[in-house]
Amino acid sequence: MKVEAYDDLDPTVTEDVHLHTFAVPGMEVRAGAAKDDEDGSGEFETRLIPSVQYYQIELGPDSLNKLHDALKPFIAAAQECEPPKGRKIRAK
């Protein structure tokens, strides 16, 4: 059985293609409990919550270099850190 990987940006590339997982930060809008306004209306309060979406993509060397080039200014301004630890689930 032969398995071929294709670059997701350039399907003509099949050599040295690897799966990459990455996270993209964002903000999610969430509605909270209703707050009592002065006029007696109970509108839901909304707030922005930081969120992260994870993605996977198969890339060959040229596409991976393009991704790195696009991220260079953000990486240059960032501080390297440890990966986030998994959240512990509380017992009921």
Side-chain angles (χ1 to χ4, degrees), residues 44-81:
F44 283 102
E45 185 175 44
T46 60
R47 57 190 171 132
L48 290 175
I49 305 293
S51 65
V52 177
Q53 180 65 48
Y54 292 89
Y55 297 91
Q56 289 187 325
I57 191 168
E58 291 185 317
L59 298 175
D62 289 340
S63 293
L64 184 58
N65 285 335
K66 287 178 186 176
L67 176 60
H68 285 183
D69 289 345
L71 293 174
K72 272 183 187 174
F74 300 97
I75 293 170
Q79 295 178 4
E80 192 169 336
C81 66

Side-chain angles (χ1 to χ4, degrees), residues 6-18 20 22 57-71:
Y6 295 89
D7 183 311
D8 289 333
L9 295 179
D10 183 358
T12 63
V13 175
T14 59
E15 296 293 319
D16 203 20
V17 173
H18 301 280
H20 300 276
F22 61 97
I57 191 168
E58 291 185 317
L59 298 175
D62 289 340
S63 293
L64 184 58
N65 285 335
K66 287 178 186 176
L67 176 60
H68 285 183
D69 289 345
L71 293 174

Side-chain angles (χ1 to χ4, degrees), residues 20-39:
H20 300 276
T21 302
F22 61 97
V24 176
M27 297 299 277
E28 184 178 305
V29 177
R30 290 205 183 149
K35 61 180 181 178
D36 291 327
D37 290 336
E38 293 174 2
D39 64 0

Side-chain angles (χ1 to χ4, degrees), residues 82-88:
E82 295 293 320
K85 293 178 175 46
R87 298 178 95 191
K88 292 184 179 178

